[in-house]
Amino acid sequence: MLREAQETPFLKAVKAGSDDARFKKPGEVYWPSNDLVTYMAGNPQAWFLGDPATLDEKNREVLGELGVSEVLRRIRHSNPPSSGGEPGYEFENYDLDGLETFMDTLSGTNDPSKKTDLSKTLWRLLVKCVRIQADFFHGKKGIRNSPYRQRFDADFTVRLRNEPWIPTSDRRFLRPIDVCRDDLHQDLEQNEYVLLESFFFLLNP
């Protein structure tokens, strides 16, 4: 019964940033939180629950079990990491849903306040992801037919490391590796910094 529901496009959904409404499978749909709506703006592949009756809080847990997500989804692929592949290995690598579009929007935003708000949105979404799944930022690799797997930085993790998206207290935007804790924008929580530092290995102490 659960599998059938997950494979059936029965949820009315609205495409991000438009009035285009269609019926979608639960695993294709996001819960329309403010942060997710901001992050996915302009992404033609993103769909949000669009039926007010479905959005009732009492449905939230059931919809989550069916696959409607309140956090960013990772998109799995089998390509080797950007650092290169190894003969005989299989790879479980990941992109981050909507990241390409979001980064294009962020880099094209000239208003510092608006850009800071976008950056804080991404920060909050990443914190939520890693609180739910500690290895969120990693892929896995292993020799074919072997049960043993090693972690590596997923493709989207490498992208986030190398983009100047972290807002600072003096209104700059730096790559995570170039940011020290004291430089962070005041709206970014220090305990969240520690959380991302612990699992993402992004930030300088």
Side-chain angles (χ1 to χ4, degrees), residues 143-199:
I143 298 174
R144 292 187 181 93
N145 302 318
S146 170
Y148 301 104
R149 291 291 182 265
Q150 297 172 287
R151 297 196 316 177
F152 64 87
D153 296 329
D155 278 358
F156 76 88
T157 305
V158 176
R159 171 80 186 271
L160 287 169
R161 274 208 186 108
N162 292 314
E163 293 279 353
W165 65 274
I166 299 287
T168 65
S169 56
D170 58 355
R171 299 170 71 87
R172 291 178 297 157
F173 296 87
L174 301 178
R175 296 182 309 162
I177 197 63
D178 297 326
V179 179
C180 293
R181 188 179 305 182
D182 292 342
D183 294 331
L184 282 178
H185 190 279
Q186 59 269 22
D187 289 346
L188 303 182
E189 297 288 340
Q190 291 293 321
N191 62 332
E192 293 176 348
Y193 175 100
V194 172
L195 185 69
L196 287 183
E197 182 184 33
S198 297
F199 292 111

Side-chain angles (χ1 to χ4, degrees), residues 10-88:
F10 72 96
L11 290 174
K12 185 178 180 181
V14 177
K15 184 185 290 188
S18 78
D19 296 324
D20 184 6
R22 301 183 191 179
F23 287 96
K24 307 293 287 186
K25 299 176 184 178
E28 299 173 327
V29 179
Y30 282 100
W31 187 274
S33 69
N34 289 336
D35 280 344
L36 282 172
V37 169
T38 297
Y39 174 89
M40 291 294 186
N43 186 340
Q45 306 302 318
W47 293 85
F48 292 99
L49 287 173
D51 186 346
T54 307
L55 287 168
D56 192 302
E57 283 293 326
K58 66 184 180 184
N59 298 324
R60 201 165 191 147
E61 183 176 350
V62 173
L63 290 169
E65 291 176 359
L66 289 173
V68 175
S69 186
E70 297 185 51
V71 297
L72 292 174
R73 292 187 177 101
R74 301 187 304 173
I75 301 173
R76 181 173 174 173
H77 62 83
S78 58
N79 297 332
S82 55
S83 56
E86 299 168 71

